[in-house]
Amino acid sequence: MALDIPTANSDEGTAGLAALHIGEGRHWPVFFYGQHYMGAFHSYLAAPLVQVFGAHWWVMRVPALAMYALFLILLYQLTRTLYTPWFAAFSVAIMAFGSDRVVKNQVIGAGGYSDVAAATAALMAASALLALRRTGGLGIYFGWGLLAGYIVWTHWLALPYVAVAVFLLGWANREVLAKGRLLLAAAGFALGAAPLIWYNLRPGHPDSLSVLLSISGAAESAPLVDRLHGAVLLGLPLSSGVCGPSHCEAWQMWWGPGYLILLIAAAIMGAVSFRRADTQDRRLHASRLALLAGGGLTLIAYVLSASSALTPVESARYLHYGLISLPAVLWPLWAGLSLTSRSAVPPNFGANHPTMVRKVGGGFVLAIVRVATVGAFVGSLLVATGQLVLHQPQYAAEAVKERKLKDHLLAAGLTRIYTEYWTCNRLAYASAEEIRCAVVDDNLNPGHDRYRPYRAQVEQADRVAYVLPRVSGLADTFARSTPARVDIIEVQDVGEYRVYVCHQRP
């Protein structure tokens, strides 16, 4: 974080701008700028830090890292409640490995990932405690509703877990769900989702659900085989932390099918145990099945989105909340090793009994398979962490290039610029809004401006700059067809950007 690694992106810059505006009392956004969904709570957390320490990337990332630490604590408690303390410790330990995609989700300060992961883990832990009747306080129902409401306001990718939490609570507590408890849960939900509800009740705003469905990609055309390839062979390994920076080697893709096999095995184990158990143990197995269902539904929702086929590497972050179910998926391996060690030598058989030989042999083979799978998974995590460490100089170089570009523009007095999406708000935040930008698309037409007031300020400026990355082809497009009202004064090359200094006519 101190070295700005991984490098920032424009989404993080957008969240940083919101934090700047909140800290100054200029705006109180409900959602991420430019959207009608995805709550802006992360920007509120970062706003005081930005005011005290300034517009630095690490300032935006401290709240994200704190939320991820809270997530680990909550995940440990959830896993300990449903499984065993040592397995909970193991589950948290594997989360400590730093693959590229997992680190990005943990610390990039755009919001909606580490904070919602923590809220979702807390929701599932509260649901499990209520299902197991390990708490009798009425306040937990209000807290449960508050967490569910917060998730619905902030990031709908975690809705599968809200759905299974509702089902688990309703099934396990149907005898004790009196009207008062339901009202407490509903009141907590209303408070947690209050910004979303308030926004959608105001006239003149498009409703959040319609907007999200229109851009979800569910209706876009993409072959099922491509969706499955992107979700299973790329998405699961990337989101679980077994791939290097923005790339999965062929041998790292094994974890996708492995994950599916373990998910199915855990579901079968849970279903069989549920059928055979008494009432109290049924609640335990139902809680485990709910955790598996949350991960399974998250994967299904991702397969249904065309993003799994069209942008599988970048969109793998949509499976981030599946980390909450990872302990449940790994449980068959851990439980199998424990059972094998206890039952490999039946106490009442002689050493030469053929049944004993078969059991010992079968148990030994299964133990080897389980140990090999765990070893391969942990080894993959270690390799992916090493790949990120080796990639560090490239990330550091990118951060240096960004600072040089910002410093060059400020020194030249080029504070009103046109540029592409992934550069715009990154420069605006890093310069504490000294640089204002308007986004252009591939044809140099107005693009997706997250913070719309900037466009008017840039369009009204006499002296502007077109800051265009050369690798994108935008610089060549500009050279071939200069926009109307624009006279080129000077052309500068700054790192990987070509800067066209222009006079803009009224």
Side-chain angles (χ1 to χ4, degrees), residues 391-465:
H391 197 75
Q392 181 268 339
Q394 292 174 250
Y395 277 145
E398 290 174 21
V400 170
K401 290 176 184 176
E402 178 199 79
R403 286 193 290 270
K404 285 184 176 178
L405 176 62
K406 178 197 69 174
D407 293 342
H408 175 87
L409 293 175
L410 291 175
L414 301 173
T415 59
R416 300 295 182 266
I417 69 171
Y418 293 94
T419 188
E420 47 92 45
Y421 177 82
W422 292 108
T423 302
C424 180
N425 285 352
R426 189 159 50 93
L427 288 174
Y429 170 74
S431 66
E433 288 193 296
E434 288 188 61
I435 296 173
R436 310 287 175 96
C437 55
V439 177
V440 293
D441 64 13
D442 292 340
N443 297 313
L444 300 175
N445 296 318
H448 184 28
D449 294 299
R450 286 287 186 187
Y451 187 61
R452 293 182 181 177
Y454 283 166
R455 175 161 291 277
Q457 297 171 23
V458 174
E459 289 179 344
Q460 293 167 8
D462 295 328
R463 187 169 179 259
V464 298

Side-chain angles (χ1 to χ4, degrees), residues 141-142 144-150 152-153 182-198:
Y141 287 93
F142 180 83
W144 183 96
L146 185 68
L147 289 167
Y150 172 77
V152 170
W153 165 41
L182 288 174
L183 287 175
L184 279 172
F189 180 87
L191 180 60
L196 173 72
I197 296 170
W198 173 78

Side-chain angles (χ1 to χ4, degrees), residues 126-399:
S127 301
L129 291 173
L130 288 169
L132 297 171
R133 309 283 174 84
R134 294 187 184 176
T135 178
L138 295 178
I140 194 170
Y141 287 93
F142 180 83
W144 183 96
L146 185 68
L147 289 167
Y150 172 77
I151 293 167
V152 170
W153 165 41
T154 308
H155 215 313
W156 288 2
L157 287 177
L159 283 184
Y161 287 95
V162 176
V164 297
V166 169
F167 183 83
L168 178 63
L169 183 68
W171 173 83
N173 294 275
R174 55 193 181 279
E175 303 95 347
V176 297
L177 273 181
K179 186 180 294 184
R181 289 181 170 88
L182 288 174
L183 287 175
L184 279 172
F189 180 87
L191 180 60
L196 173 72
I197 296 170
W198 173 78
Y199 181 88
N200 282 274
L201 288 178
R202 292 169 61 198
H205 289 292
D207 70 278
S208 300
L209 179 59
S210 298
V211 172
L212 185 60
L213 289 177
S214 69
I215 64 172
S216 65
E220 292 186 49
S221 176
L224 179 60
V225 65
D226 291 344
R227 295 178 188 233
L228 290 173
H229 179 273
V232 176
L233 294 180
L234 289 174
L236 287 174
L238 281 162
S239 64
S240 299
V242 301
C243 291
S246 302
H247 178 71
C248 267
E249 301 289 348
W251 65 267
Q252 292 172 318
M253 295 181 184
W254 75 273
W255 176 243
Y259 181 100
L260 285 184
I261 292 169
L262 289 172
L263 178 66
I264 294 169
I268 293 172
M269 284 175 57
V272 171
S273 300
F274 177 85
R275 289 188 62 186
R276 295 175 177 175
D278 58 22
T279 301
Q280 182 60 29
D281 283 344
R282 277 193 167 194
R283 294 194 182 97
L284 173 65
H285 295 299
S287 300
R288 293 177 177 180
L289 286 170
L291 208 53
L292 291 166
L297 290 172
T298 298
L299 179 60
I300 290 171
Y302 184 53
V303 171
L304 293 176
S305 168
S307 298
S308 59
L310 302 178
T311 56
V313 174
E314 185 58 34
S315 298
R317 68 186 188 275
Y318 298 154
L319 293 173
H320 179 63
Y321 305 120
L323 290 177
I324 298 163
S325 297
L326 188 56
V329 172
L330 293 173
W331 175 245
L333 296 175
W334 187 276
L337 287 173
S338 301
L339 289 173
T340 300
S341 64
R342 288 200 298 267
S343 61
V345 183
N348 297 325
F349 288 93
N352 297 319
H353 196 286
T355 305
M356 176 184 165
V357 173
R358 287 196 301 270
K359 286 195 173 185
V360 170
F364 179 75
V365 171
L366 287 174
I368 292 297
V369 170
R370 288 170 177 131
V371 169
T373 305
V374 172
F377 179 58
V378 174
S380 298
L381 294 172
L382 281 168
V383 170
T385 302
Q387 288 176 320
L388 175 59
V389 172
L390 293 175
H391 197 75
Q392 181 268 339
Q394 292 174 250
Y395 277 145
E398 290 174 21

Side-chain angles (χ1 to χ4, degrees), residues 16 20 49-51 53-59 406 428-433:
L20 273 171
L49 297 176
V50 173
Q51 288 301 304
F53 298 106
H56 304 288
W57 295 119
W58 68 264
V59 172
K406 178 197 69 174
Y429 170 74
S431 66
E433 288 193 296

Side-chain angles (χ1 to χ4, degrees), residues 62-129:
V62 165
L65 188 63
M67 287 293 103
Y68 190 75
L70 178 60
F71 165 71
L72 293 181
I73 294 169
L74 292 165
L75 184 72
Y76 173 82
Q77 187 58 49
L78 171 62
T79 310
R80 182 185 176 119
T81 299
L82 296 182
Y83 299 99
T84 66
W86 277 112
F87 181 59
F90 169 76
S91 299
V92 172
I94 62 175
M95 300 287 177
F97 291 102
S99 78
D100 182 69
R101 181 72 266 164
V102 175
V103 166
K104 284 177 178 176
N105 291 340
Q106 290 169 11
V107 305
I108 284 183
Y113 286 95
S114 56
D115 53 326
V116 175
T120 306
L123 179 70
M124 296 305 296
S127 301
L129 291 173

